[in-house]
């Protein structure tokens, strides 16, 4: 029996106060009530849904997708073995897999595929497609490959996929729910130069094709992709599940202030993804708002002296950490932001209590700077010149610059276009940078896989195991080897406390991801799973 993707129940918080402008009503790209009409619509299906967001996207190839906008679109086009419903990221539910079993030490997961799932060209989804997709994700060695490090997939029999982990990992189903683990049509991908072989990082040539067309089995297919302006999805006529909620979804690159104007005027079906803090003020009462505090903002200081003698100095890092006015920074993000206590945002189990939020201590900063032996330091801070979730990152960088100056540290700001910033970050030679960060998958322990000494993000900042203490390495290993969820939460809190003492990361504040939607849309609920809002589930109401 086939499993159909379930639609989530509507869950929306209170809307903001009413202050309609005198502007002409009608949203860009939206249809009439229920999303507008079209001769191509199925019964109950809406016309066009417009999603406005400040683009952070490099690729729509599932094996390469890592940024928020890409994950939003890829999740709508590619089925995964399992998924999450609504804002609940604690319990994976079936999608392409109708069931799964795990062995006693959580190193082997056996998935049984549902019958009847087909790709958008009508061909059936097979176990071989799943194996190809997971192994390609791993072997491409792109940014999302870190999520499947140590995992391997095989198919012992028709309709069965076995995923093994080199170490105990109860979070494998959660990892396989992420957009990067979307299942590709293997034969069609190979025809476009794709490969899952061990040399895929150099041999695979399918990404360019997948940035212009989709090869998944999800409810939507890719119509067009312009990384600067627009992603257009259309309903997959061959979709094996429930009829998609809309005939067409237009994801538009729109600045946050313009998103607010759109939501104030909108009559059609509109969603905005970058309204937070003060930008939520004065929206019509009818606008639905759903949020989750799932993002942290942080500084990274390179630990290789060959890159920077200043940022690799432990006492300099401590001086900078003590110089920051964390409460003042959080206030810039809006009323619902908090000064960071550690790396895990409050949306996830494992966050440190608010009472442990870091505090500015300029006397301590002066002592640490003296201990560093560095006089009148000047460092350049690179950051993406974007508005992210309603906040101009330049405003935050300027505040960091001001705070550091109080401790005698001069910072030269270096704003970069998002593509340039991401390229430089991947290159791993940026001495000092600032950026927002969400979890690779919605489990706090995923941060250890990414930021512990020697892991992917740590490598890009020169924080190798050789440059780390035995205590911080052991703390990370304690997280990974925790026998149960309660022990793992305790371990990751201890790990964060050590990070605050000796890591090259300075976590600054937590901010919420927000979904604002017109009242005509059902299931417009924020998800901390990585795709922000489930475009598979939204529909006219």
């Amino acid at each position: 029996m086939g499993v159909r993707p379930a639609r989530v129940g509507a869950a929306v918080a209170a809307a903001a106060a009413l202050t309609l402008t005198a502007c002409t009503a009608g949203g860009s790209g939206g249809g009439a009530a229920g999303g507008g009409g079209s001769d191509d619509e199925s019964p109950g299906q809406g016309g066009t849904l417009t999603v406005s967001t400040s683009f952070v996207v490099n690729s729509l190839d599932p094996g390469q997708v890592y940024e928020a906008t890409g994950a939003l679109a890829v999740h709508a086009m590619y089925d995964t073995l399992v998924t999450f419903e609504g804002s609940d990221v604690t319990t994976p539910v079936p999608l392409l897999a109708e069931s799964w079993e795990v062995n006693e030490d959580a190193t082997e997961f056996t998935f049984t595929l549902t019958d009847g799932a087909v790709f958008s060209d009508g061909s059936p989804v097979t176990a071989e497609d799943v194996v190809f997709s997971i192994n390609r994700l791993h072997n491409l060695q792109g940014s999302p490959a870190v999520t499947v490090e140590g995992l391997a997939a095989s198919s012992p029999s028709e309709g069965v996929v076995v995923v093994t982990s080199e170490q105990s990992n109860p979070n494998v189903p959660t990892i396989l729910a992420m957009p990067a683990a979307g299942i590709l049509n293997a034969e069609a991908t190979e025809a476009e130069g794709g490969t899952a072989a061990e040399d895929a990082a150099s041999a695979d040539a399918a990404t360019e094709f997948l940035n212009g067309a989709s090869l998944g089995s999800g409810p939507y297919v890719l119509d067009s992709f312009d990384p600067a302006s627009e992603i257009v999805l259309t309903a997959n006529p061959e979709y094996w599940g429930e009829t998609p909620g809309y005939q067409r979804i237009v994801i538009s690159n729109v600045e946050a202030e313009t998103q607010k104007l759109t939501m104030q005027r909108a009559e059609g079906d509109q969603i905005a993804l970058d309204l937070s803090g003060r930008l939520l003020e004065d929206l019509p009462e009818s606008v639905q708002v759903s949020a989750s505090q799932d993002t942290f903002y942080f500084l990274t200081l390179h630990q290789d002296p060959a890159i920077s003698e200043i940022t690799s100095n432990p006492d300099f890092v401590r001086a900078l950490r003590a110089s920051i006015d964390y409460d003042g920074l959080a206030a810039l993000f809006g009323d619902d932001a908090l000064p960071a206590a550690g790396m895990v945002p409050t949306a996830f189990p494992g966050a440190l209590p608010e009472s442990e939020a870091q505090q500015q201590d300029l006397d301590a900063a002066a002592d640490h700077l003296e201990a560093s032996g560095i006089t009148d330091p000047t460092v350049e801070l690179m950051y993406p010149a974007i508005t992210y979730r309603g906040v101009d990152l330049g405003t935050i960088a300027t505040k960091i610059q001001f705070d550091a100056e109080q401790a005698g540290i001069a910072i030269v700001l270096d704003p970069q276009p998002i593509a340039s910033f991401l390229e430089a970050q991947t290159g791993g030679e940026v001495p000092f940078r600032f950026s927002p960060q969400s979890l690779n998958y919605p489990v706090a322990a995923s941060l250890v896989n990414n930021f512990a000494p020697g892991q992917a993000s740590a490598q890009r900042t020169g924080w190798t195991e050789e440059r780390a203490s035995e205590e911080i390495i052991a703390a990370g290993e304690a997280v990974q080897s925790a026998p149960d969820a309660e022990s793992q939460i305790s371990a990751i809190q201890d790990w964060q406390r050590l990070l605050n003492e000796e890591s090259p990361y300075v976590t600054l504040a937590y901010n919420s991801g927000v979904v604002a939607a017109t009242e005509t849309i059902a299931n417009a609920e924020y998800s901390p799973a990585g795709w922000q809002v489930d475009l598979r589930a939204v529909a006219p109401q």
Side-chain angles (χ1 to χ4, degrees):
M1 183 177 68
V3 176
R4 297 293 181 261
R7 286 183 170 168
V8 298
V12 291
L18 173 67
T19 307
L20 278 171
T21 69
C23 300
T24 304
S28 62
S38 163
D39 292 340
D40 296 329
E41 293 172 22
S42 299
Q45 189 179 47
T48 297
L49 168 69
T50 301
V51 181
S52 299
T53 184
S54 298
F55 270 23
V56 187
V57 58
N58 259 347
S59 177
L60 298 183
D61 177 348
Q64 300 284 4
V65 71
Y66 195 63
E67 291 80 28
T69 309
L72 170 75
V74 167
H75 178 64
M77 296 186 286
Y78 292 88
D79 288 330
T80 43
L81 285 176
V82 298
T83 190
F84 292 106
E85 292 182 346
S87 60
D88 180 7
V89 292
T90 62
T91 309
V93 298
L95 190 49
L96 286 176
E98 64 179 14
S99 64
W100 59 95
E101 298 177 348
V102 55
N103 66 355
E104 189 172 344
D105 60 357
T107 56
E108 183 174 293
F109 298 76
T110 303
F111 296 88
T112 300
L113 302 188
T114 187
D115 293 329
V118 296
F119 289 107
S120 57
D121 65 359
S123 61
V125 179
T126 68
E128 287 70 28
D129 295 307
V130 178
V131 171
F132 172 86
S133 301
I134 294 173
N135 290 339
R136 178 175 180 266
L137 168 62
H138 178 272
N139 291 330
L140 279 177
Q141 291 300 301
S143 294
V146 64
T147 61
V148 293
E149 188 64 35
L151 303 186
S154 62
S155 176
S157 59
E158 184 177 349
V160 176
V161 174
V162 174
V163 177
T164 57
S165 174
E166 292 177 355
Q167 60 183 358
S168 178
N169 188 352
N171 300 315
V172 166
T174 295
I175 293 169
L176 297 180
M178 297 299 99
I183 305 307
L184 289 148
N185 182 326
E187 182 177 356
T189 304
E190 288 174 330
E192 300 298 337
T195 175
E198 291 185 359
D199 64 348
S202 58
D204 186 278
T207 294
E208 183 176 351
F209 176 84
L210 292 168
N211 284 333
S214 53
L215 295 175
S217 61
Y220 292 93
V221 296
L222 182 61
D223 180 83
S224 64
F225 172 38
D226 181 339
S229 63
E230 190 175 83
I231 302 169
V232 179
L233 312 179
T234 56
N236 174 6
E238 299 292 335
Y239 189 49
W240 57 282
E242 292 182 10
T243 301
Y246 291 90
Q247 179 61 31
R248 189 167 181 262
I249 296 178
V250 179
I251 305 171
S252 295
N253 187 13
V254 178
E255 291 294 327
E257 292 285 354
T258 305
Q259 292 179 36
K260 179 173 182 176
L261 291 174
T262 300
M263 295 307 296
Q264 288 176 320
R265 301 169 182 172
E267 284 189 342
D269 292 7
Q270 299 269 356
I271 289 176
L273 297 179
D274 296 291
L275 303 184
S276 63
R278 62 179 177 79
L279 290 175
L280 289 171
E281 298 172 358
D282 302 328
L283 289 177
E285 289 183 347
S286 59
V287 171
Q288 310 173 66
V289 178
S290 173
S292 177
Q293 201 168 68
D294 68 341
T295 302
F296 67 95
Y297 295 73
F298 73 126
L299 303 169
T300 303
L301 295 98
H302 210 289
Q303 295 302 286
D304 185 349
I307 300 295
S308 171
E309 292 283 354
I310 297 176
T311 63
S312 61
N313 185 308
D315 285 308
F316 175 81
V317 178
R318 294 186 184 101
L320 181 69
R321 194 190 309 280
S323 74
I324 300 297
D325 170 18
Y326 297 91
D327 290 306
L329 264 178
L332 295 176
F333 288 95
D335 293 340
D336 56 346
L338 288 173
M343 192 172 266
V344 179
T346 61
F348 306 101
L352 291 172
E354 193 174 338
S355 60
E356 295 189 35
Q358 299 175 87
Q359 300 291 322
Q360 185 182 45
D361 187 339
L362 292 177
D363 290 337
D367 292 342
H368 290 310
L369 190 57
E370 182 177 1
S372 75
I374 301 172
T375 305
D376 299 326
T378 298
V379 287
E380 194 169 80
L381 177 60
M382 180 185 286
Y383 62 95
I386 60 172
T387 296
Y388 187 74
R389 296 187 166 174
V391 178
D392 175 13
L393 297 190
T395 302
I396 306 302
T398 301
K399 171 65 172 165
I400 295 165
Q401 181 187 45
F402 174 83
D403 291 347
E405 188 177 10
Q406 309 311 303
I409 300 170
I411 291 178
V412 177
L413 300 183
D414 180 24
Q416 292 288 326
I418 182 64
S420 300
F421 175 83
L422 293 172
E423 183 178 354
Q425 176 179 262
T426 302
E429 296 187 354
V430 181
F432 186 31
R433 54 188 164 88
F434 158 62
S435 62
Q437 180 75 34
S438 299
L439 277 59
N440 284 338
Y441 53 91
V443 176
S446 66
L447 292 169
V448 178
N449 296 342
N450 203 11
F451 288 96
Q455 299 301 314
S457 286
Q459 288 280 13
R460 289 199 291 265
T461 197
W463 201 30
T464 60
E465 290 193 349
E466 292 74 20
R467 295 189 178 113
S469 72
E470 293 181 0
E471 289 77 11
I472 195 74
I473 294 172
E477 291 172 348
V479 174
Q480 304 293 25
S481 62
D484 53 55
E486 185 176 351
S487 301
Q488 192 169 67
I489 288 171
S490 176
I492 200 162
Q493 289 184 328
D494 291 341
W495 181 70
Q496 290 175 89
R497 292 180 180 112
L498 280 174
L499 286 185
N500 289 342
E501 294 178 7
E502 57 184 272
S503 81
Y505 317 120
V506 181
T507 49
L508 303 168
Y510 306 131
N511 194 23
S512 295
V514 177
V515 171
T518 50
E519 61 182 333
T520 53
I521 303 173
N523 306 329
E525 187 175 9
Y526 184 82
S527 171
W531 46 77
Q532 304 177 80
V533 61
D534 191 350
L535 297 179
R536 313 165 65 95
V538 293
Q541 66 176 350

